[in-house]
């Protein structure tokens, strides 16, 4: 064997770094043409031009508490015949394989190998010319460990997010900025006019319907809409289904009701101006995204920053624009908007990027409940 040859036994430790899987034990099967990765909660999403796939991997056979959320561009969907002769239509992705200090791209099909002793099957199409398989031996390459998943130094890869954008005007500059920023990060933003959606309230099968068909699950929902009764009901249903909302339905309702907003701010000892009062020359607007602030035309002082954050927090708004002014040494809130403009700022991070930062931090994929144990088979 030459120095660059890779000797493989019938079982080996592998890594799939693009999927955030630093260690997985695989069976090397030259009798199988395609490679297979055990996956659950498989969900295609994205546009027809750039389709993607999300799924969950349990790298340790029998341990369903360790669930790794993964995502990848969708390459194909093919019919694969398993060893028992049954044909199955599987999603196909391309990802990087690491073994013995070397790496190369391989195609992998996704299927639920529940009960199998190996959650990864490496077929002959993944074996490059320099691979030599010795069927009578195992672990010819360095051993890895499932302990890598518990190491804080182990880099993690976030699964691509699926975000719903509730707006009647998806072509606005703000909507386009949000969609472009999300796509640049590998996420997908799907706009919906809330007037076309209907909450389906049920103790067992809750859903959001469009043309009588249920929408898929979304990791997050951005509401840029009028706070009407119907629109807020739709947003509330997204939240009930587990979607993270930077501005909840209750927060948007409070911000849209001047009297309710005044009551809330007064309870937190934050002065607010009487309705209809004109803006003055010293008025300024600050946008808050989580705990971060932006005010392009005004350099915020420490007291001003504190007041803006307190007001947004009191109203429950994670993304808002507040207009304020000074009067007799007091900072007064003049106006609150729960749907601020999303525009890029020169030489600074855009509000679209900051909002996506907040969503990435707060939205957590939900892999689902653990599966019961079943007897292993090779």
């Amino acid at each position: 064997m030459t120095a660059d040859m890779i000797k493989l036994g019938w079982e080996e430790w592998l890594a799939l770094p693009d999927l955030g899987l630093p260690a997985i034990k695989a069976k090397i099967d030259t009798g199988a043409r395609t490679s297979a990765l055990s996956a659950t909660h498989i969900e295609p999403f994205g546009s027809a031009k750039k389709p993607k796939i999300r799924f969950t991997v349990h790298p340790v056979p029998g341990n369903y508490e360790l669930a790794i959320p993964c995502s990848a561009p969708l390459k194909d969907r093919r019919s694969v015949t398993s060893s028992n002769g049954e044909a199955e239509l599987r999603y196909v992705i391309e990802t990087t394989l690491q073994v013995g200090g070397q790496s190369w791209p391989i195609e992998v099909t996704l299927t639920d190998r529940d009960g199998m002793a190996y959650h990864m099957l490496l077929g002959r199409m993944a074996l490059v010319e320099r691979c030599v398989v010795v069927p009578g031996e195992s672990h010819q390459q360095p051993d890895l460990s499932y302990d890598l998943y518990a190491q804080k130094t182990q880099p993690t890869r976030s699964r691509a997010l699926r975000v719903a954008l509730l707006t009647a005007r998806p072509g606005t500059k703000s909507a386009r900025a949000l969609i472009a920023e999300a796509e640049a990060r590998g996420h997908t933003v799907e706009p919906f006019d809330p007037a076309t959606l209907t909450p389906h309230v049920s103790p067992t099968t809750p859903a959001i319907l469009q043309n009588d068909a249920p929408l898929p699950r979304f990791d997050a929902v951005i509401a840029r809409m009028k706070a009407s009764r119907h629109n807020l009901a739709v947003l509330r249903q997204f939240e009930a289904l587990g979607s993270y909302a930077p501005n909840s339905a209750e927060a948007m309702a409070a911000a849209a009701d001047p009297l309710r907003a005044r009551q809330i701010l007064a309870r937190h000892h934050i002065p607010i101006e009487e309705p209809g009062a004109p803006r003055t020359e010293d008025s300024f607007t600050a946008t808050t995204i989580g705990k971060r602030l932006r005010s392009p035309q005004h350099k915020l002082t420490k007291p001003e920053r504190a007041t803006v954050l307190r007001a947004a927090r009191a109203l429950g708004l994670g993304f808002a624009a507040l207009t304020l002014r000074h009067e007799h040494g007091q900072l007064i809130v003049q106006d609150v908007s729960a749907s601020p403009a999303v525009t890029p700022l020169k030489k600074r991070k855009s509000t679209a990027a900051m909002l996506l930062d907040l969503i990435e931090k707060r939205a957590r994929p939900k892999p689902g409940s653990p599966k019961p144990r079943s007897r292993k088979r090779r």
Side-chain angles (χ1 to χ4, degrees):
M1 291 180 59
T2 59
D4 63 342
M5 297 296 284
I6 305 173
K7 184 179 179 181
L8 301 175
W10 66 270
E11 64 173 348
E12 293 289 346
W13 283 98
L14 312 174
L16 303 174
D18 294 347
L19 302 179
L21 300 171
I24 187 166
K25 190 178 288 188
K27 179 182 178 182
I28 314 301
D29 189 354
T30 57
R33 184 177 187 274
T34 57
S35 300
L37 176 65
S38 183
T40 60
H41 306 94
I42 301 171
E43 177 188 19
F45 71 110
S47 64
K49 293 183 179 180
K50 296 181 179 179
K52 300 177 183 179
I53 193 82
R54 303 195 307 180
F55 51 97
T56 299
V57 174
H58 302 280
V60 185
N63 180 2
Y64 294 100
E65 293 183 0
L66 177 59
I68 308 299
C70 305
S71 62
L74 179 58
K75 186 172 184 178
D76 198 4
R77 197 177 188 192
R78 302 174 191 158
S79 179
V80 178
T81 303
S82 62
S83 58
N84 60 11
E86 294 182 359
E88 178 186 11
L89 195 60
R90 299 182 187 176
Y91 292 104
V92 182
I93 65 171
E94 185 174 271
T95 192
T96 301
L97 169 69
Q98 280 186 354
V99 57
Q102 300 190 47
S103 61
W104 60 91
I106 64 170
E107 285 188 356
V108 177
T109 64
L110 304 176
T111 184
D112 190 349
R113 292 175 56 84
D114 180 29
M116 296 293 188
Y118 297 91
H119 282 192
M120 176 77 184
L121 184 73
L122 198 65
R124 62 177 180 271
M125 293 300 294
L127 303 177
V128 294
E129 292 182 357
R130 59 182 180 273
C131 288
V132 176
V133 180
V134 184
E137 300 182 19
S138 64
H139 298 297
Q140 298 301 295
Q141 297 301 318
D143 284 346
L144 301 175
S145 172
Y146 294 128
D147 293 340
L148 289 171
Y149 292 97
Q151 293 183 8
K152 294 182 179 180
T153 56
Q154 173 64 31
T156 58
R157 294 182 178 270
S158 299
R159 183 171 72 167
L161 298 177
R162 190 174 199 172
V163 182
L165 175 62
L166 299 182
T167 177
R169 298 185 298 163
T172 63
K173 186 176 180 179
S174 293
R176 294 198 309 270
L178 285 170
I179 294 172
E181 179 64 31
E183 290 182 346
R185 299 177 181 220
H187 308 313
T188 298
V189 174
E190 300 177 40
F192 296 97
D193 184 345
T196 66
L197 304 180
T198 303
H200 175 68
V201 180
S202 167
T204 56
T205 58
I208 299 172
L209 305 179
Q210 185 180 47
N211 298 326
D212 295 327
L215 295 183
R217 187 185 63 81
F218 287 84
D219 298 292
V221 54
I222 302 173
R224 300 187 61 79
M225 59 190 189
K226 292 182 178 179
S228 67
R229 182 176 180 180
H230 173 81
N231 290 356
L232 293 176
V234 170
L235 176 56
R236 196 173 293 111
Q237 189 75 354
F238 271 98
E239 295 178 75
L241 294 173
S243 301
Y244 165 70
N247 290 338
S248 67
E250 300 306 320
M252 291 196 69
D257 184 342
L259 178 58
R260 178 60 178 153
R262 286 172 56 82
Q263 290 172 328
I264 293 173
L265 295 179
R267 190 167 68 242
H268 288 81
H269 305 287
I270 301 174
I272 183 169
E273 201 159 55
E274 293 289 338
R279 295 189 179 184
T280 60
E281 292 184 357
D282 63 343
S283 298
F284 64 92
T285 300
T287 300
T288 172
I289 309 99
K291 295 182 179 180
R292 304 166 73 179
L293 295 172
R294 282 289 183 267
S295 183
Q297 287 78 38
H298 181 81
K299 186 176 181 180
L300 296 171
T301 65
K302 189 174 181 179
E304 290 171 344
R305 295 176 65 89
T307 299
V308 172
L309 290 175
R310 282 180 57 222
R313 190 181 303 115
L315 293 167
L317 296 170
F319 181 47
L322 285 80
T323 302
L324 308 96
R325 71 176 180 88
H326 290 275
E327 183 179 275
H328 306 302
Q330 191 177 40
L331 189 59
I332 299 175
V333 176
Q334 291 185 292
D335 186 50
V336 178
S337 171
S339 297
V342 180
T343 54
L345 301 176
K346 295 181 179 179
K347 299 182 181 180
R348 307 176 80 176
K349 200 167 190 179
S350 71
T351 49
M354 294 168 67
L355 180 56
L356 264 295
D357 286 345
L358 178 65
I359 290 174
E360 288 177 340
K361 181 179 179 181
R362 300 289 180 85
R364 293 289 183 266
K366 299 170 179 59
S369 57
K371 291 187 175 183
R373 293 176 179 267
S374 59
R375 194 174 70 178
K376 294 182 180 180
R377 305 188 306 272
R378 179 176 295 178

